């Protein structure tokens, strides 16, 4: 049995990673298509919802909106790690650690937390691919251990659980996709649950940032979103000025 989010490097051969990828894709699609979500806020045409799990105090959050891109364009967008600078306002910097196959890469990323909370980092496997004969796609991630991605000084290593994007071709307009984003993360360390859930709910609006990105591309191309790539950096290291550390820093790496 493969438990998503608990894959260790010593057992992380290609077959194990690919099996875990299939399980994670199933989980993300199942979550996105569930009718149990409770809407909490709408902004810019994007709906944010939450789902409470009796087994965990950390809620799952979902963002959903219509994006001016096809599933193929979205896979291309997500496969370029530099898209993190567009999708996630908390992203500081990151690197590609190892490529597993054409669709799956191990990444290390650093993320800024609210004031008085130490910044977090993740080591995760991410897979970007089309499904359902190209009419849909996923970009899913789950935490893994890797010898070249140890806990980093100044950061607390967080855990990514059932998190990622699911997108499918719009029913009436083939140039559009319905984009979903599920975030379910355990930041570890000493953070009140209400703070965790508040930040997670805001993360649902990553969908809005992606929606606005493709709207700008479409306008700039005179109505065609022919190039979805955010930059030419590919999976090279991404850097921006990291924020100063905070009062929780003494717990970093624990």
């Amino acid at each position: 049995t493969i438990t998503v989010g608990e894959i260790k490097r010593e057992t992380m051969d290609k077959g194990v990673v690919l099996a875990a990828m299939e399980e994670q894709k199933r989980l993300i699609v199942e979550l996105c298509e569930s009718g149990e979500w409770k809407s909490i806020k709408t902004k810019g045409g994007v709906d944010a919802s939450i789902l409470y799990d009796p087994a965990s105090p950390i809620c799952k959050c979902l963002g959903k909106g219509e994006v001016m891109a096809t599933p193929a364009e979205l896979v291309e967008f997500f496969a370029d790690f530099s898209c993190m600078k567009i999708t996630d306002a908390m992203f500081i910097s990151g690197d590609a650690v190892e490529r597993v196959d054409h669709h799956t890469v191990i990444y290390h990323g650093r993320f800024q937390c609210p004031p008085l909370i130490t910044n977090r980092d993740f080591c995760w496997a991410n897979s970007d691919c089309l499904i359902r004969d190209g009419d849909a796609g996923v970009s899913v991630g789950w935490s893994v251990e890797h010898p070249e991605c140890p806990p980093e000084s100044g950061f607390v290593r967080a855990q990514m659980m059932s998190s990622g994007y699911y997108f499918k071709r719009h029913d009436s307009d083939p140039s559009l996709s319905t984009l979903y984003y599920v975030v379910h993360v355990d930041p570890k360390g000493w953070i009140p649950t209400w703070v965790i859930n508040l930040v997670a709910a805001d993360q649902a609006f990553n969908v809005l940032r992606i929606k606005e990105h493709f709207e700008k591309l479409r306008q700039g191309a005179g109505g065609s979103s022919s190039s979805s790539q955010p930059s030419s950096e590919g999976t090279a290291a991404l850097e921006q000025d990291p924020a100063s550390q905070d009062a929780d820093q003494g717990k970093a790496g624990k």
Side-chain angles (χ1 to χ4, degrees):
T1 301
I2 296 168
T3 302
V4 173
E6 298 181 358
I7 302 171
K8 298 183 183 298
R9 185 62 182 91
E10 55 265 27
T11 63
M12 205 168 64
D13 58 50
K14 183 176 179 180
V16 171
V17 173
L18 295 181
M21 178 188 73
E22 292 302 313
E23 172 66 5
Q24 188 73 340
K25 285 193 295 185
R26 184 192 66 79
L27 286 172
I28 291 297
V29 173
E30 184 179 274
L31 278 170
C32 291
E33 294 184 339
S34 169
E36 299 178 359
W37 293 94
K38 178 182 178 182
S39 178
I40 56 172
K41 187 177 181 180
T42 299
K43 181 170 65 174
V46 171
D47 183 67
S49 303
I50 56 174
L51 179 64
Y52 287 102
D53 184 346
S56 172
I58 302 174
C59 70
K60 297 179 177 72
C61 294
L62 175 74
K64 177 184 177 182
E66 307 299 332
V67 177
M68 291 182 177
T70 65
E73 288 170 332
L74 285 166
V75 165
E76 182 184 14
F77 172 77
F78 287 122
D80 184 342
F81 190 48
S82 65
C83 78
M84 292 294 294
K85 295 186 292 186
I86 296 169
T87 63
D88 199 322
M90 299 176 69
F91 180 73
I92 297 173
S93 62
D95 311 271
V97 177
E98 179 183 352
R99 176 168 290 279
V100 179
D101 69 2
H102 181 67
H103 300 292
T104 309
V105 181
I106 310 298
Y107 290 118
H108 177 224
R110 307 167 189 88
F111 296 82
Q112 184 174 346
C113 289
L116 303 181
I117 300 174
T118 302
N119 292 339
R120 263 52 182 174
D121 74 336
F122 296 85
C123 180
W124 78 96
N126 203 90
S127 185
D128 311 286
C129 63
L130 291 170
I131 59 175
R132 298 178 178 174
D133 298 323
D135 285 332
V138 291
S139 176
V140 299
W142 63 96
S143 284
V144 298
E145 295 183 8
H146 195 287
E148 296 179 21
C149 191
E152 185 170 314
S153 177
F155 293 83
V156 173
R157 178 58 54 88
Q159 182 183 8
M160 185 182 301
M161 296 181 282
S162 299
S163 299
Y165 295 90
Y166 164 57
F167 36 94
K168 59 183 180 180
R169 195 179 305 277
H170 194 275
D171 292 336
S172 59
D173 188 340
S175 68
L176 301 179
S177 294
T178 302
L179 175 63
Y180 304 80
Y181 174 49
V182 172
V183 56
H184 192 209
V185 169
D186 184 350
K188 304 297 185 179
W190 298 89
I191 305 179
T193 301
W194 70 268
V195 174
I196 296 171
N197 290 337
L198 181 66
V199 172
D202 183 67
Q203 283 290 96
F205 287 107
N206 283 5
V207 172
L208 179 58
R209 287 180 271 273
I210 297 168
K211 179 177 182 287
E212 292 173 343
H213 169 72
F214 278 96
E215 286 173 352
K216 291 177 182 177
L217 281 180
R218 183 69 63 91
Q219 293 167 1
S224 172
S225 57
S226 58
S227 176
S228 61
Q229 295 296 74
S231 77
S232 60
E233 295 177 16
T235 57
L238 304 176
E239 299 292 341
Q240 65 186 52
D241 293 335
S244 59
Q245 297 305 306
D246 43 57
D248 190 36
Q249 183 165 333
K251 305 179 183 66
K254 295 183 180 178

